[in-house]
Amino acid sequence: MNFSIIVATDLNNGIGKNGNLLYKSKNDMQYFKTVTTSVKNDKKQNAVIMGRLTWESIPTKYKPLPDRKNVIISDNNYNFLCERYKKDNSILIFKNLKLALEYLKKDDNIEDIFIIGGERLYRESLDNDYCQYIYQTIINDSSDADTFFPKIDSN
């Protein structure tokens, strides 16, 4: 199953600092929501795949991201996360991206899949043959980011 990446970066490909997004743009958040929730078939939904740190950076009032299947990848805290969220049917937890994609491929209710961060998951996703599109918003600014989206050939 093909998937896409969605990311907002600064001019130096920075995506975060101290576990948070670099920028809080209302327009970009609305774009993110529109892209990751839009489906052609009203009986389906999209999935968003994120690393544990990305999950933890989402404010509690927005968890899980509504109208999407939330998938968390965590090899370190897998058992803890499973125990904590096992009753929430809108959240799935896997030890790695490959297992998550294999599961979602079999789910007839999933239309599209989006990788939403963080840095390690973006790197792994770009090396995956099923990565189809990158939705990148570039903020016209430079920051002192400590996490980055991998440099890609714009061609």
Side-chain angles (χ1 to χ4, degrees), residues 6 12-15 26 31 33 45-49 60 77 83 88 113 120 131:
I6 187 163
N12 298 318
N13 274 10
I15 58 174
K26 195 172 194 174
Y31 173 74
K33 181 179 180 183
Q45 67 177 359
N46 294 329
V48 289
I49 301 177
T60 303
N77 291 11
E83 187 62 31
D88 190 332
I113 300 170
R120 188 171 121 197
C131 181

Side-chain angles (χ1 to χ4, degrees), residues 86-147:
K86 68 182 175 185
K87 293 180 183 176
D88 190 332
N89 292 330
S90 62
I91 299 171
L92 296 171
I93 304 163
F94 294 93
K95 287 187 176 186
N96 60 54
L97 179 61
K98 181 181 177 190
L99 291 173
L101 292 172
E102 286 173 357
Y103 179 89
L104 292 170
K105 181 180 180 179
K106 297 174 190 170
D107 187 337
D108 293 333
N109 296 316
I110 299 297
E111 187 167 292
D112 290 319
I113 300 170
F114 295 92
I115 306 297
I116 67 169
E119 181 177 4
R120 188 171 121 197
L121 193 54
Y122 284 141
R123 286 186 191 288
E124 183 179 349
S125 298
L126 286 169
D127 289 336
N128 189 302
D129 292 337
Y130 295 104
C131 181
Q132 188 173 24
Y133 298 109
I134 299 171
Y135 296 84
Q136 182 178 12
T137 299
I138 301 174
I139 309 293
N140 191 20
D141 192 23
S142 296
S143 68
D144 58 343
D146 60 13
T147 52

